[in-house]
Amino acid sequence: FLVSDPALGSLVVILSVLSKSASNVGWFIMWVQCIEVFPTPLRGTGMNVSVMVSTLITMTGPYVVDLGSKDLRYPFIVFTLFGVMGTVVSCLVPETKGVPLAERLEDIDDMVDNFKFFKWKTWR
């Protein structure tokens, strides 16, 4: 693997920086998506639950990094698996572009009922 070969150290650094950049973009998108998906009466509660879950998951980071003492590849494997899992799960969140913010729970039901996979409204 790349990590165990000292000659490829700069490649590992470049891939790590790219991974961290992608993580930061995903973090920003998560906050915007949370604001748009939760209906007004539940927005505060939904955001707080999201923060709690993300904090609990973030607290496991040092333990994952410590796996590197056993094998240098383990942290990269774990973080990559979580990234792929996050990408797959994010496909289950309805698209909110061009849709007004949900004011009632019924608005969320309508949004989910009208949701179609792989029908992104990107540039319109």
Side-chain angles (χ1 to χ4, degrees):
F1 258 84
L2 297 174
V3 181
S4 58
D5 188 359
L8 297 175
S10 59
L11 181 61
V12 170
V13 170
I14 290 170
L15 289 174
S16 297
V17 169
L18 287 174
S19 174
K20 180 61 179 164
S21 299
S23 172
N24 286 346
V25 169
W27 191 258
F28 174 73
I29 291 171
M30 178 199 64
W31 287 113
V32 172
Q33 194 70 24
C34 282
I35 291 170
E36 292 180 352
V37 168
F38 292 122
T40 302
L42 297 176
R43 194 164 292 139
T45 303
M47 292 292 288
N48 286 330
V49 169
S50 298
V51 168
M52 183 182 66
V53 169
S54 69
T55 302
L56 290 173
I57 291 172
T58 302
M59 288 179 358
T60 64
Y63 299 108
V64 173
V65 172
D66 191 45
L67 287 174
S69 63
K70 304 220 184 310
D71 188 345
L72 290 174
R73 295 174 286 190
Y74 288 163
F76 290 97
I77 292 169
V78 170
F79 287 133
T80 300
L81 289 175
F82 272 107
V84 169
M85 185 176 64
T87 302
V88 170
V89 170
S90 69
C91 291
L92 302 175
V93 179
E95 176 61 57
T96 58
K97 182 176 181 180
V99 178
L101 287 177
E103 298 293 331
R104 304 169 298 141
L105 294 175
E106 292 80 18
D107 296 340
I108 294 296
D109 290 337
D110 294 340
M111 185 186 307
V112 171
D113 290 342
N114 295 329
F115 176 65
K116 294 184 178 37
F117 288 104
F118 304 115
K119 187 167 182 167
W120 296 304
K121 306 179 213 172
T122 51
W123 299 105
R124 289 184 246 152

